[in-house]
Amino acid sequence: MSVFVRLSVWLLLLLLAGCASSGPTVTVVDDGQARALAGQGEFRAAAAEYERLARANRGARDRLLLDAAESLREDGDFEGVGRLASEIRRKRIDARDAARLDLLLAELALSKGDAERALSLATLPGAQLSPPVAERAAEVRARALDLLGRPMDAVSERVGLLAQIDASQRAGLESDILDSLAALDVAQLSAALGKFEAADPRRPWLERALRLKGAAPSRVIPRPTRQVGTMLPGRSSSSEWRLEGYATTPQVALLLPLSGSLAAAGAAIRDGFLAAYFADTQQRPLVRVYDVGESAEAAVEAYANAASEGATRAVGPLAREQVAAVLAVADPQVPVLALNHPDSGAVPPAGSQQFALAPDDEAALAAEYAFTRGLRRVAVIGAG
């Protein structure tokens, strides 16, 4: 073999090795105008600009076509999405962009009613997804599961999303959860409820769905075995005694409605709390009372003010919608003892508690009380 031939072979091998080891080439392109158009909601114009840039920049062609397809998706043009997606060469984009492409294809499949393909494509590796893409993927999976007749799996996807989105998006997602559960009858909802632990975040939604169908969810009601505050021997060998479970807290915030339609109830709770406070012989914390008015926003503001002024525990508020709002922002360092159940049915965060009987719990206890006294025929009088 001549020196020239050997040299040619080595150069060819080096070239092939370089091709095998190199990934997609990253070419920097000024796409500021396209991004500005998208930011103004001009998605079709943004797509056209991205596509123009793709034709003019061969090295970034596939990534720019993907950006163009994303813009058309925002405009609701899935026909255009399909056209552009068919031109994208997967081997010329990185793993993150490949995940974006798969999600676009999943949404395209869903728009055509192909739920199986949509579910398969939207089941993406989490490490390759940015938070917005991960949220979109979860919603696509949920919609596909609904179409496949798997509402509980769809609910699981959406409940997992609730912890990741901001408050402005919660209303629509919560409505979708209840819509999924509406497909199940009372027997199916009750059976599903029985499979979940008490702290499972899906339980409150199943309970709400049962109530919407006029059924009371089964619930285990705690049966105390001894009075709260039982005196126990101290840890030392001396004759000191301590209250079971008693722990001091430096500052307590009372979050009560002292104005508005619930002002009378708020004043009664305040007076009762302070009466017990002054009757206590233990070391008493500082107590500050905050008026939460009638709105959820006022309750959240009162809680934030209390926390900034040194509160280490909060008691209240009273209205269900205010309870839900405060528990949603509760700081683990300032736990809440809410005086009602949240209207969302959500489980309180770690460290916080609810001190109230749900109407169905109260009715169950009343029925049990009557039954143990031999009463078998009951007339229920209520508003129609």
Side-chain angles (χ1 to χ4, degrees):
M1 185 182 291
S2 68
V3 174
F4 176 76
V5 172
R6 286 199 298 271
L7 181 59
S8 299
V9 170
W10 278 109
L11 288 173
L12 179 59
L13 291 172
L14 287 172
L15 180 60
L16 290 172
C19 292
S21 62
S22 63
T25 303
V26 177
T27 303
V28 178
V29 176
D30 182 7
D31 60 355
Q33 182 179 353
R35 286 187 286 108
L37 287 167
Q40 296 164 10
E42 300 290 339
F43 297 115
R44 190 165 292 278
E49 177 62 13
Y50 277 126
E51 193 168 356
R52 184 191 70 77
L53 290 171
R55 308 304 179 197
N57 296 273
R58 185 175 179 182
R61 170 187 176 277
D62 299 277
R63 176 173 54 82
L64 290 165
L65 286 177
L66 179 59
D67 290 333
E70 289 271 16
S71 296
L72 289 181
R73 176 254 180 198
E74 293 291 338
D75 198 52
D77 180 6
F78 280 99
E79 183 178 346
V81 169
R83 175 181 61 82
L84 291 173
S86 67
E87 297 184 39
I88 297 171
R89 297 166 295 183
R90 186 178 293 270
K91 65 181 180 181
R92 301 301 299 272
I93 56 179
D94 62 22
R96 281 182 172 268
D97 283 342
R100 289 171 58 206
L101 175 59
D102 281 337
L103 182 55
L104 275 176
L105 293 173
E107 291 170 325
L108 179 61
L110 200 60
S111 72
K112 297 178 179 179
D114 190 347
E116 288 281 6
R117 177 169 168 76
L119 181 60
S120 175
L121 286 166
T123 305
L124 301 165
Q128 297 175 359
L129 306 181
S130 64
V133 173
E135 290 172 16
R136 274 174 56 198
E139 180 55 30
V140 170
R141 291 194 298 270
R143 289 167 57 198
L145 288 164
D146 275 330
L147 288 176
L148 291 170
R150 296 164 56 184
M152 277 309 306
D153 291 330
V155 167
S156 296
E157 289 283 356
R158 291 189 172 111
V159 169
L161 265 179
L162 281 175
Q164 304 171 33
I165 62 175
D166 58 46
S168 64
Q169 299 173 290
R170 290 183 66 92
L173 190 56
E174 290 174 355
S175 177
D176 289 341
I177 291 172
L178 291 175
D179 286 345
S180 292
L181 291 174
L184 300 175
D185 60 28
V186 170
Q188 291 171 316
L189 289 169
S190 298
L193 185 63
K195 297 176 182 178
F196 296 144
E197 300 291 334
D200 193 296
R202 291 168 293 184
R203 281 192 67 94
W205 297 103
L206 288 166
E207 292 175 356
R208 285 183 69 180
L210 279 165
R211 292 191 185 99
L212 288 173
K213 291 179 179 290
S218 59
R219 185 176 298 173
V220 177
I221 301 175
R223 305 291 178 186
T225 56
R226 63 188 180 196
Q227 186 176 354
V228 173
T230 300
M231 297 298 293
L232 299 175
R235 290 187 174 86
S236 66
S237 57
S238 66
S239 60
E240 292 181 1
W241 289 77
R242 61 183 176 84
L243 283 174
E244 178 187 31
Y246 185 85
T248 59
T249 186
Q251 186 172 320
V252 174
L254 265 182
L255 310 177
L256 296 172
L258 301 177
S259 59
S261 59
L262 294 177
I269 294 171
R270 176 201 60 196
D271 295 346
F273 185 95
L274 293 177
Y277 173 79
F278 287 114
D280 193 350
T281 57
Q282 299 288 331
Q283 181 179 356
R284 293 189 291 262
L286 173 65
V287 174
R288 287 181 171 168
V289 183
Y290 297 82
D291 181 12
V292 299
E294 294 188 286
S295 69
E297 293 76 16
V300 170
E301 183 180 358
Y303 174 79
N305 290 339
S308 67
E309 292 172 3
T312 52
R313 183 173 293 276
V315 177
L318 184 58
R320 291 169 68 92
E321 64 276 9
Q322 290 184 325
V323 168
V326 170
L327 289 179
V329 300
D331 184 339
Q333 302 302 316
V334 190
V336 177
L337 176 60
L339 300 180
N340 208 334
H341 291 279
D343 56 359
S344 64
V347 176
S352 293
Q353 302 290 333
Q354 300 168 165
F355 185 70
L357 276 178
D360 47 342
D361 286 347
E362 194 166 2
L365 287 172
E368 183 179 283
Y369 180 86
F371 187 83
T372 57
R373 281 152 182 75
L375 302 177
R376 297 295 184 271
R377 300 179 65 184
V378 177
V380 178
I381 302 173

